Each structure stands twice: as C-alpha cells, then as structure tokens.
Amino acid sequence: MSIHVKLLAVLSACFFSASASAWSEETHMTTGAIAFDDLAANDPDVIAELEQILPAHPHYHELAARAAGLTGRNRTRKIFEWLARWPDDINGTEYEHRDWHYELRVVSGRTWLWPFRNGNASYAFNLNYDSLADRNAPARDRAIAIGWLIHIIGDIQQPLHAGHQMTGDFWLTDEAGSLAFVRKAEGGEPTNLHNYWDQILDIPNADGKVEGDRTSQYWSNRLVTLWPRERFGWPVYSGTPQEQFGQWLDESLHLARLVGYTGNYLMASSEAENAPLVSAQEIHVARELAKSRVTTGGYRIADVLRMAVGSGETKLSTSSTS
C-alpha cells in the first residue's frame, strides 16, 4: 500500500462521519410493521418469544408508551414500529453507535484509490445476532439486540448505506451522499443525495411535517400488496445469517452503482446553491426502487428474527432487484 493511500486512510478515519440514518425514522417504522405482520401471519410463536424478551429493553417503558391504549398483538406491533427507529432516536446516549448504520465502499469515481470500507454494519449485525440467538444471554442484551437488528437490516437496504462516490469534488468521498446536493423540482430547495433517498417515501401531515406513524400507516399494507414475497424470486441466497447479511450489502452496493450514482445524480454539487435538477424519470425509478427495498427490509427482518429465536427456517432470502 502506497504512502498516499495510507494517508488517505488515516484522513478518512479522522474526518469520515456519515452519521445520517438510512430511511427516515418514519420509513423505518414501516419496515418494523411489515416484519411484524409477516411474523404474526406465519410464525406467531416467534412473536410470543419476542414479547417475552422485549420488556427487558432499557427503554421499554418509552416504547410501550407509544402503544398506549392498544392491547394484545396490536400493542406489540406498535412497539415494533417504534423499536425499528429506536437506534436513530438515541443519539447522545450510551446506546448510540453511529458507525453501525452503514458499511460503505466507493462505487463511482476513484474506485481504484479507495479499497476500504467505512462503517461497521456487518460487525454490528454479527454481534447483535449472536446476542439474540443466545438463549443464555441476559434478557436486556437480547432486547437491545432486537432493536438493533431490526434497524440495521432496514438500514442496509438503502443503496447509499452501502456505496458512495470519491471524485475530485469529493476527495474524501461524498460521505454516502450527505455532501452532494440535487434538486427534485425546478427552483426547489436543494437536498443532499442521502436525504433524497432516506425521505423519498415520507408521507407529510397536512401542515407538511413528517412525524409519528403516518408514513407506516400509509405504506405497510400497500407495499406488501405491491411486493408480496412471491414476487422476489431471484437470486436465492444461502449460508449463515451473517453470510446472507454480507450478500445483502453487496446487493445494495450494486444498486448504488446501478441507480444511485448514474445520470443527473453524478452531477450532484458540493455546493447546495449549484444543485442540479433530477429528472422526473430518475425520481420515479428511485421511488419504485425504494418501495421494493423497504419491503425487502421488512421481510428480511422477519427472516432474521425467526432464524434467531424461531425454527431457524427462512421464508425469503432473495433479491429485490428482479
């Protein structure tokens, strides 16, 4: 390794800080709802097992408060939704791990110069999966692991949590798109590429704010209808849960290269005032891809949870790119 590459690696360790979440908090809630519904329909025993573990979560009372007035499985479903976003809601606490949300490789520009990965999503997945799958582990640790697994699996379905660019304008990468700006409408406000993907399915309230469970209420059933499990037919992945997670990361990396960094996205500016306009077709493609990725995330969350605490059998280990 040359001295220049070593220097870049050191600089990256010092300055890289892709701390933005993948999908908005509200869209994460959608993945939680899809996962819960899948388990409730196919493996209610897994839900029962998780219900025994979750009260040991250090923030369980706050999560349960979000389900006030609900009972039975409706209550657990609502807790699942809020647990899916929990790792984005704990910044500044002892449970925060900013580098667990992503694992990035360069997919555009100076790919030859940057063989490194930024982020520790794989490490986090392995750690939390092992904790949840260990029936002798403390219930508190297993409950925390549930929240992180739900979130991380959702995170890595977002293409810009697996790939980013490194160019003359972004010589230490564009930090998963957080430093690269585009516009969705002529004369519209600029948005960075990362937020562009994160928020693409958000459903605002009448006052324009995105909050609560409005997005998950709108999308969870619609997405399952649009993307039922049988629609995901190729390719089939195999191996341990850890190996499958790595394959899912590779899949998102491919999508970052194939969709996230093509066309007008490659014209994204480091200066917000110079943000280029993204075409209507590009927005449509990104939105449709996001629908399949969020749905995939929900199904894969369900599969991992059933592997960790259930029968060990998965219902789906397939790509959403077909």
Side-chain angles (χ1 to χ4, degrees), residues 89-123:
D89 291 333
I90 56 172
N91 289 343
T93 74
E94 63 182 292
Y95 306 104
E96 176 187 20
H97 299 281
R98 294 199 175 196
D99 64 342
W100 283 12
H101 299 256
Y102 55 88
E103 191 164 316
L104 294 150
R105 286 170 279 176
V106 173
V107 299
S108 180
R110 297 169 178 172
T111 56
W112 55 272
L113 184 60
W114 200 253
F116 314 106
R117 296 188 182 209
N118 295 104
N120 290 299
S122 293
Y123 165 80

mmCIF file of all heavy atoms in Angstrom, residues 89-123:
data_model
loop_
_atom_site.group_PDB
_atom_site.id
_atom_site.type_symbol
_atom_site.label_atom_id
_atom_site.label_comp_id
_atom_site.label_asym_id
_atom_site.label_seq_id
_atom_site.Cartn_x
_atom_site.Cartn_y
_atom_site.Cartn_z
ATOM 1 N N ASP A 89 -33.100 7.315 17.467
ATOM 2 C CA ASP A 89 -33.658 8.199 18.492
ATOM 3 C C ASP A 89 -32.804 8.273 19.749
ATOM 4 O O ASP A 89 -33.205 8.905 20.728
ATOM 5 C CB ASP A 89 -35.067 7.717 18.886
ATOM 6 C CG ASP A 89 -36.088 7.911 17.776
ATOM 7 O OD1 ASP A 89 -35.893 8.824 16.945
ATOM 8 O OD2 ASP A 89 -37.074 7.154 17.735
ATOM 9 N N ILE A 90 -31.635 7.640 19.741
ATOM 10 C CA ILE A 90 -30.851 7.533 20.970
ATOM 11 C C ILE A 90 -29.507 8.247 20.864
ATOM 12 O O ILE A 90 -28.591 7.943 21.629
ATOM 13 C CB ILE A 90 -30.633 6.058 21.363
ATOM 14 C CG1 ILE A 90 -29.974 5.270 20.214
ATOM 15 C CG2 ILE A 90 -31.936 5.421 21.795
ATOM 16 C CD1 ILE A 90 -29.566 3.872 20.589
ATOM 17 N N ASN A 91 -29.392 9.179 19.911
ATOM 18 C CA ASN A 91 -28.137 9.920 19.811
ATOM 19 C C ASN A 91 -27.821 10.615 21.133
ATOM 20 O O ASN A 91 -28.695 11.197 21.768
ATOM 21 C CB ASN A 91 -28.232 10.963 18.694
ATOM 22 C CG ASN A 91 -28.246 10.324 17.319
ATOM 23 O OD1 ASN A 91 -27.882 9.174 17.168
ATOM 24 N ND2 ASN A 91 -28.683 11.076 16.326
ATOM 25 N N GLY A 92 -26.582 10.522 21.522
ATOM 26 C CA GLY A 92 -26.165 11.139 22.776
ATOM 27 C C GLY A 92 -26.320 10.247 23.988
ATOM 28 O O GLY A 92 -26.005 10.665 25.104
ATOM 29 N N THR A 93 -26.775 9.023 23.793
ATOM 30 C CA THR A 93 -26.915 8.093 24.910
ATOM 31 C C THR A 93 -25.829 7.021 24.834
ATOM 32 O O THR A 93 -25.105 6.913 23.842
ATOM 33 C CB THR A 93 -28.291 7.405 24.907
ATOM 34 O OG1 THR A 93 -28.317 6.423 23.857
ATOM 35 C CG2 THR A 93 -29.410 8.415 24.689
ATOM 36 N N GLU A 94 -25.761 6.213 25.857
ATOM 37 C CA GLU A 94 -24.744 5.158 25.897
ATOM 38 C C GLU A 94 -24.986 4.071 24.859
ATOM 39 O O GLU A 94 -24.092 3.266 24.567
ATOM 40 C CB GLU A 94 -24.719 4.517 27.287
ATOM 41 C CG GLU A 94 -26.011 3.807 27.663
ATOM 42 C CD GLU A 94 -25.979 3.228 29.057
ATOM 43 O OE1 GLU A 94 -25.198 2.265 29.278
ATOM 44 O OE2 GLU A 94 -26.719 3.744 29.924
ATOM 45 N N TYR A 95 -26.192 4.047 24.278
ATOM 46 C CA TYR A 95 -26.533 3.000 23.318
ATOM 47 C C TYR A 95 -26.255 3.416 21.871
ATOM 48 O O TYR A 95 -26.440 2.624 20.953
ATOM 49 C CB TYR A 95 -28.015 2.637 23.468
ATOM 50 C CG TYR A 95 -28.381 2.270 24.882
ATOM 51 C CD1 TYR A 95 -29.086 3.159 25.693
ATOM 52 C CD2 TYR A 95 -27.995 1.050 25.428
ATOM 53 C CE1 TYR A 95 -29.407 2.837 27.005
ATOM 54 C CE2 TYR A 95 -28.309 0.718 26.740
ATOM 55 C CZ TYR A 95 -29.012 1.615 27.515
ATOM 56 O OH TYR A 95 -29.323 1.296 28.823
ATOM 57 N N GLU A 96 -25.802 4.625 21.667
ATOM 58 C CA GLU A 96 -25.552 5.130 20.325
ATOM 59 C C GLU A 96 -24.303 4.490 19.715
ATOM 60 O O GLU A 96 -23.264 4.372 20.361
ATOM 61 C CB GLU A 96 -25.367 6.650 20.370
ATOM 62 C CG GLU A 96 -25.001 7.269 19.033
ATOM 63 C CD GLU A 96 -24.660 8.746 19.159
ATOM 64 O OE1 GLU A 96 -24.339 9.188 20.286
ATOM 65 O OE2 GLU A 96 -24.705 9.443 18.142
ATOM 66 N N HIS A 97 -24.409 4.079 18.463
ATOM 67 C CA HIS A 97 -23.274 3.557 17.700
ATOM 68 C C HIS A 97 -23.418 4.060 16.265
ATOM 69 O O HIS A 97 -24.029 3.402 15.431
ATOM 70 C CB HIS A 97 -23.247 2.024 17.718
ATOM 71 C CG HIS A 97 -23.106 1.433 19.081
ATOM 72 N ND1 HIS A 97 -21.888 1.374 19.739
ATOM 73 C CD2 HIS A 97 -24.032 0.891 19.911
ATOM 74 C CE1 HIS A 97 -22.073 0.800 20.922
ATOM 75 N NE2 HIS A 97 -23.362 0.498 21.049
ATOM 76 N N ARG A 98 -22.858 5.207 15.977
ATOM 77 C CA ARG A 98 -23.100 5.825 14.674
ATOM 78 C C ARG A 98 -22.557 5.019 13.514
ATOM 79 O O ARG A 98 -23.105 5.064 12.417
ATOM 80 C CB ARG A 98 -22.504 7.237 14.658
ATOM 81 C CG ARG A 98 -23.195 8.183 15.619
ATOM 82 C CD ARG A 98 -22.937 9.622 15.282
ATOM 83 N NE ARG A 98 -23.697 10.504 16.148
ATOM 84 C CZ ARG A 98 -23.903 11.781 15.911
ATOM 85 N NH1 ARG A 98 -23.378 12.334 14.830
ATOM 86 N NH2 ARG A 98 -24.625 12.515 16.739
ATOM 87 N N ASP A 99 -21.473 4.271 13.737
ATOM 88 C CA ASP A 99 -20.886 3.545 12.618
ATOM 89 C C ASP A 99 -21.508 2.168 12.417
ATOM 90 O O ASP A 99 -21.060 1.391 11.574
ATOM 91 C CB ASP A 99 -19.369 3.407 12.800
ATOM 92 C CG ASP A 99 -18.983 2.576 14.019
ATOM 93 O OD1 ASP A 99 -19.836 2.387 14.911
ATOM 94 O OD2 ASP A 99 -17.827 2.116 14.070
ATOM 95 N N TRP A 100 -22.575 1.859 13.142
ATOM 96 C CA TRP A 100 -23.274 0.594 12.954
ATOM 97 C C TRP A 100 -24.329 0.668 11.848
ATOM 98 O O TRP A 100 -24.852 -0.361 11.431
ATOM 99 C CB TRP A 100 -23.967 0.165 14.245
ATOM 100 C CG TRP A 100 -23.040 -0.411 15.269
ATOM 101 C CD1 TRP A 100 -21.672 -0.392 15.279
ATOM 102 C CD2 TRP A 100 -23.432 -1.102 16.468
ATOM 103 N NE1 TRP A 100 -21.180 -1.010 16.395
ATOM 104 C CE2 TRP A 100 -22.242 -1.464 17.152
ATOM 105 C CE3 TRP A 100 -24.667 -1.440 17.029
ATOM 106 C CZ2 TRP A 100 -22.261 -2.160 18.361
ATOM 107 C CZ3 TRP A 100 -24.686 -2.120 18.234
ATOM 108 C CH2 TRP A 100 -23.499 -2.484 18.900
ATOM 109 N N HIS A 101 -24.646 1.850 11.370
ATOM 110 C CA HIS A 101 -25.770 2.025 10.447
ATOM 111 C C HIS A 101 -25.401 1.809 8.982
ATOM 112 O O HIS A 101 -26.287 1.815 8.133
ATOM 113 C CB HIS A 101 -26.346 3.439 10.578
ATOM 114 C CG HIS A 101 -26.883 3.758 11.938
ATOM 115 N ND1 HIS A 101 -28.232 3.792 12.227
ATOM 116 C CD2 HIS A 101 -26.248 4.073 13.097
ATOM 117 C CE1 HIS A 101 -28.410 4.117 13.496
ATOM 118 N NE2 HIS A 101 -27.213 4.289 14.049
ATOM 119 N N TYR A 102 -24.143 1.658 8.668
ATOM 120 C CA TYR A 102 -23.719 1.625 7.266
ATOM 121 C C TYR A 102 -22.415 0.848 7.126
ATOM 122 O O TYR A 102 -21.693 0.616 8.100
ATOM 123 C CB TYR A 102 -23.525 3.046 6.730
ATOM 124 C CG TYR A 102 -22.560 3.878 7.561
ATOM 125 C CD1 TYR A 102 -21.197 3.861 7.306
ATOM 126 C CD2 TYR A 102 -23.020 4.665 8.616
ATOM 127 C CE1 TYR A 102 -20.307 4.592 8.085
ATOM 128 C CE2 TYR A 102 -22.145 5.404 9.395
ATOM 129 C CZ TYR A 102 -20.787 5.371 9.123
ATOM 130 O OH TYR A 102 -19.918 6.091 9.895
ATOM 131 N N GLU A 103 -22.130 0.452 5.899
ATOM 132 C CA GLU A 103 -20.839 -0.146 5.556
ATOM 133 C C GLU A 103 -20.589 0.181 4.083
ATOM 134 O O GLU A 103 -21.089 -0.505 3.195
ATOM 135 C CB GLU A 103 -20.837 -1.641 5.802
ATOM 136 C CG GLU A 103 -19.439 -2.247 5.710
ATOM 137 C CD GLU A 103 -19.379 -3.630 6.326
ATOM 138 O OE1 GLU A 103 -19.946 -3.826 7.423
ATOM 139 O OE2 GLU A 103 -18.775 -4.512 5.694
ATOM 140 N N LEU A 104 -19.821 1.233 3.841
ATOM 141 C CA LEU A 104 -19.722 1.852 2.527
ATOM 142 C C LEU A 104 -18.451 1.492 1.779
ATOM 143 O O LEU A 104 -17.373 1.409 2.369
ATOM 144 C CB LEU A 104 -19.781 3.381 2.681
ATOM 145 C CG LEU A 104 -21.118 3.926 3.190
ATOM 146 C CD1 LEU A 104 -20.903 5.203 3.978
ATOM 147 C CD2 LEU A 104 -22.072 4.150 2.045
ATOM 148 N N ARG A 105 -18.617 1.301 0.475
ATOM 149 C CA ARG A 105 -17.487 1.169 -0.434
ATOM 150 C C ARG A 105 -17.676 2.155 -1.591
ATOM 151 O O ARG A 105 -18.804 2.535 -1.898
ATOM 152 C CB ARG A 105 -17.391 -0.262 -0.969
ATOM 153 C CG ARG A 105 -16.863 -1.261 0.052
ATOM 154 C CD ARG A 105 -17.022 -2.689 -0.429
ATOM 155 N NE ARG A 105 -18.375 -3.175 -0.206
ATOM 156 C CZ ARG A 105 -18.810 -4.371 -0.595
ATOM 157 N NH1 ARG A 105 -18.008 -5.196 -1.242
ATOM 158 N NH2 ARG A 105 -20.046 -4.762 -0.343
ATOM 159 N N VAL A 106 -16.599 2.568 -2.197
ATOM 160 C CA VAL A 106 -16.671 3.516 -3.306
ATOM 161 C C VAL A 106 -17.166 2.788 -4.552
ATOM 162 O O VAL A 106 -16.599 1.772 -4.958
ATOM 163 C CB VAL A 106 -15.299 4.169 -3.576
ATOM 164 C CG1 VAL A 106 -15.349 5.030 -4.834
ATOM 165 C CG2 VAL A 106 -14.885 5.017 -2.370
ATOM 166 N N VAL A 107 -18.239 3.328 -5.164
ATOM 167 C CA VAL A 107 -18.812 2.704 -6.359
ATOM 168 C C VAL A 107 -18.677 3.583 -7.595
ATOM 169 O O VAL A 107 -18.944 3.135 -8.703
ATOM 170 C CB VAL A 107 -20.303 2.355 -6.157
ATOM 171 C CG1 VAL A 107 -20.473 1.375 -5.022
ATOM 172 C CG2 VAL A 107 -21.136 3.611 -5.915
ATOM 173 N N SER A 108 -18.265 4.835 -7.404
ATOM 174 C CA SER A 108 -18.160 5.755 -8.533
ATOM 175 C C SER A 108 -16.969 6.668 -8.331
ATOM 176 O O SER A 108 -16.671 7.081 -7.210
ATOM 177 C CB SER A 108 -19.440 6.595 -8.663
ATOM 178 O OG SER A 108 -19.357 7.487 -9.755
ATOM 179 N N GLY A 109 -16.291 6.972 -9.437
ATOM 180 C CA GLY A 109 -15.127 7.847 -9.349
ATOM 181 C C GLY A 109 -13.858 7.056 -9.143
ATOM 182 O O GLY A 109 -13.566 6.123 -9.887
ATOM 183 N N ARG A 110 -13.114 7.397 -8.107
ATOM 184 C CA ARG A 110 -11.799 6.811 -7.878
ATOM 185 C C ARG A 110 -11.889 5.499 -7.111
ATOM 186 O O ARG A 110 -11.339 5.346 -6.014
ATOM 187 C CB ARG A 110 -10.926 7.824 -7.150
ATOM 188 C CG ARG A 110 -10.685 9.085 -7.983
ATOM 189 C CD ARG A 110 -10.046 10.193 -7.187
ATOM 190 N NE ARG A 110 -9.795 11.356 -8.043
ATOM 191 C CZ ARG A 110 -9.389 12.539 -7.597
ATOM 192 N NH1 ARG A 110 -9.177 12.714 -6.298
ATOM 193 N NH2 ARG A 110 -9.196 13.532 -8.432
ATOM 194 N N THR A 111 -12.591 4.550 -7.710
ATOM 195 C CA THR A 111 -12.759 3.248 -7.053
ATOM 196 C C THR A 111 -11.431 2.542 -6.850
ATOM 197 O O THR A 111 -11.268 1.784 -5.887
ATOM 198 C CB THR A 111 -13.689 2.355 -7.890
ATOM 199 O OG1 THR A 111 -13.158 2.251 -9.218
ATOM 200 C CG2 THR A 111 -15.082 2.954 -7.981
ATOM 201 N N TRP A 112 -10.490 2.805 -7.734
ATOM 202 C CA TRP A 112 -9.175 2.161 -7.657
ATOM 203 C C TRP A 112 -8.365 2.672 -6.470
ATOM 204 O O TRP A 112 -7.466 1.990 -5.977
ATOM 205 C CB TRP A 112 -8.383 2.449 -8.947
ATOM 206 C CG TRP A 112 -8.268 3.923 -9.230
ATOM 207 C CD1 TRP A 112 -9.151 4.695 -9.929
ATOM 208 C CD2 TRP A 112 -7.226 4.804 -8.807
ATOM 209 N NE1 TRP A 112 -8.734 6.003 -9.976
ATOM 210 C CE2 TRP A 112 -7.545 6.103 -9.292
ATOM 211 C CE3 TRP A 112 -6.045 4.642 -8.074
ATOM 212 C CZ2 TRP A 112 -6.742 7.218 -9.063
ATOM 213 C CZ3 TRP A 112 -5.247 5.755 -7.837
ATOM 214 C CH2 TRP A 112 -5.591 7.015 -8.334
ATOM 215 N N LEU A 113 -8.695 3.873 -5.987
ATOM 216 C CA LEU A 113 -7.898 4.503 -4.941
ATOM 217 C C LEU A 113 -8.403 4.157 -3.544
ATOM 218 O O LEU A 113 -7.685 4.350 -2.572
ATOM 219 C CB LEU A 113 -7.917 6.026 -5.138
ATOM 220 C CG LEU A 113 -7.069 6.883 -4.199
ATOM 221 C CD1 LEU A 113 -5.593 6.523 -4.308
ATOM 222 C CD2 LEU A 113 -7.278 8.366 -4.504
ATOM 223 N N TRP A 114 -9.611 3.648 -3.461
ATOM 224 C CA TRP A 114 -10.235 3.517 -2.147
ATOM 225 C C TRP A 114 -10.788 2.109 -1.940
ATOM 226 O O TRP A 114 -11.971 1.852 -2.116
ATOM 227 C CB TRP A 114 -11.359 4.556 -2.011
ATOM 228 C CG TRP A 114 -11.735 4.824 -0.591
ATOM 229 C CD1 TRP A 114 -12.866 4.418 0.058
ATOM 230 C CD2 TRP A 114 -10.990 5.578 0.364
ATOM 231 N NE1 TRP A 114 -12.867 4.855 1.351
ATOM 232 C CE2 TRP A 114 -11.720 5.576 1.569
ATOM 233 C CE3 TRP A 114 -9.757 6.231 0.323
ATOM 234 C CZ2 TRP A 114 -11.263 6.216 2.711
ATOM 235 C CZ3 TRP A 114 -9.311 6.880 1.467
ATOM 236 C CH2 TRP A 114 -10.067 6.862 2.639
ATOM 237 N N PRO A 115 -9.931 1.143 -1.576
ATOM 238 C CA PRO A 115 -10.376 -0.238 -1.369
ATOM 239 C C PRO A 115 -10.971 -0.474 0.010
ATOM 240 O O PRO A 115 -11.302 -1.612 0.342
ATOM 241 C CB PRO A 115 -9.078 -1.030 -1.543
ATOM 242 C CG PRO A 115 -8.020 -0.113 -1.025
ATOM 243 C CD PRO A 115 -8.460 1.290 -1.417
ATOM 244 N N PHE A 116 -11.094 0.585 0.802
ATOM 245 C CA PHE A 116 -11.515 0.439 2.193
ATOM 246 C C PHE A 116 -13.035 0.442 2.331
ATOM 247 O O PHE A 116 -13.754 0.891 1.455
ATOM 248 C CB PHE A 116 -10.931 1.565 3.050
ATOM 249 C CG PHE A 116 -9.485 1.818 2.795
ATOM 250 C CD1 PHE A 116 -9.075 2.934 2.080
ATOM 251 C CD2 PHE A 116 -8.521 0.936 3.251
ATOM 252 C CE1 PHE A 116 -7.738 3.170 1.826
ATOM 253 C CE2 PHE A 116 -7.180 1.163 3.007
ATOM 254 C CZ PHE A 116 -6.784 2.286 2.293
ATOM 255 N N ARG A 117 -13.495 -0.018 3.477
ATOM 256 C CA ARG A 117 -14.901 0.098 3.861
ATOM 257 C C ARG A 117 -15.007 1.100 4.998
ATOM 258 O O ARG A 117 -14.179 1.105 5.908
ATOM 259 C CB ARG A 117 -15.458 -1.251 4.316
ATOM 260 C CG ARG A 117 -15.476 -2.316 3.237
ATOM 261 C CD ARG A 117 -16.218 -3.553 3.698
ATOM 262 N NE ARG A 117 -16.181 -4.587 2.677
ATOM 263 C CZ ARG A 117 -17.134 -5.508 2.515
ATOM 264 N NH1 ARG A 117 -18.183 -5.512 3.317
ATOM 265 N NH2 ARG A 117 -17.034 -6.420 1.567
ATOM 266 N N ASN A 118 -16.010 1.928 4.934
ATOM 267 C CA ASN A 118 -16.314 2.842 6.027
ATOM 268 C C ASN A 118 -17.591 2.369 6.711
ATOM 269 O O ASN A 118 -18.624 2.212 6.068
ATOM 270 C CB ASN A 118 -16.506 4.275 5.516
ATOM 271 C CG ASN A 118 -15.237 4.857 4.929
ATOM 272 O OD1 ASN A 118 -15.098 4.957 3.715
ATOM 273 N ND2 ASN A 118 -14.310 5.241 5.782
ATOM 274 N N GLY A 119 -17.521 2.151 8.004
ATOM 275 C CA GLY A 119 -18.692 1.702 8.747
ATOM 276 C C GLY A 119 -18.571 0.254 9.183
ATOM 277 O O GLY A 119 -17.792 -0.526 8.638
ATOM 278 N N ASN A 120 -19.392 -0.105 10.161
ATOM 279 C CA ASN A 120 -19.285 -1.427 10.792
ATOM 280 C C ASN A 120 -20.637 -2.137 10.891
ATOM 281 O O ASN A 120 -20.938 -2.765 11.906
ATOM 282 C CB ASN A 120 -18.666 -1.278 12.182
ATOM 283 C CG ASN A 120 -17.204 -0.899 12.115
ATOM 284 O OD1 ASN A 120 -16.391 -1.637 11.561
ATOM 285 N ND2 ASN A 120 -16.867 0.264 12.649
ATOM 286 N N ALA A 121 -21.438 -2.044 9.839
ATOM 287 C CA ALA A 121 -22.749 -2.695 9.874
ATOM 288 C C ALA A 121 -22.621 -4.205 10.026
ATOM 289 O O ALA A 121 -23.395 -4.828 10.766
ATOM 290 C CB ALA A 121 -23.540 -2.345 8.617
ATOM 291 N N SER A 122 -21.656 -4.810 9.333
ATOM 292 C CA SER A 122 -21.504 -6.268 9.428
ATOM 293 C C SER A 122 -21.123 -6.694 10.844
ATOM 294 O O SER A 122 -21.675 -7.658 11.393
ATOM 295 C CB SER A 122 -20.435 -6.759 8.438
ATOM 296 O OG SER A 122 -20.853 -6.583 7.116
ATOM 297 N N TYR A 123 -20.172 -5.965 11.435
ATOM 298 C CA TYR A 123 -19.781 -6.255 12.819
ATOM 299 C C TYR A 123 -20.989 -6.130 13.738
ATOM 300 O O TYR A 123 -21.224 -7.006 14.607
ATOM 301 C CB TYR A 123 -18.690 -5.291 13.258
ATOM 302 C CG TYR A 123 -18.462 -5.261 14.754
ATOM 303 C CD1 TYR A 123 -17.705 -6.247 15.378
ATOM 304 C CD2 TYR A 123 -19.032 -4.257 15.534
ATOM 305 C CE1 TYR A 123 -17.529 -6.233 16.759
ATOM 306 C CE2 TYR A 123 -18.856 -4.232 16.900
ATOM 307 C CZ TYR A 123 -18.106 -5.220 17.510
ATOM 308 O OH TYR A 123 -17.934 -5.199 18.871
#
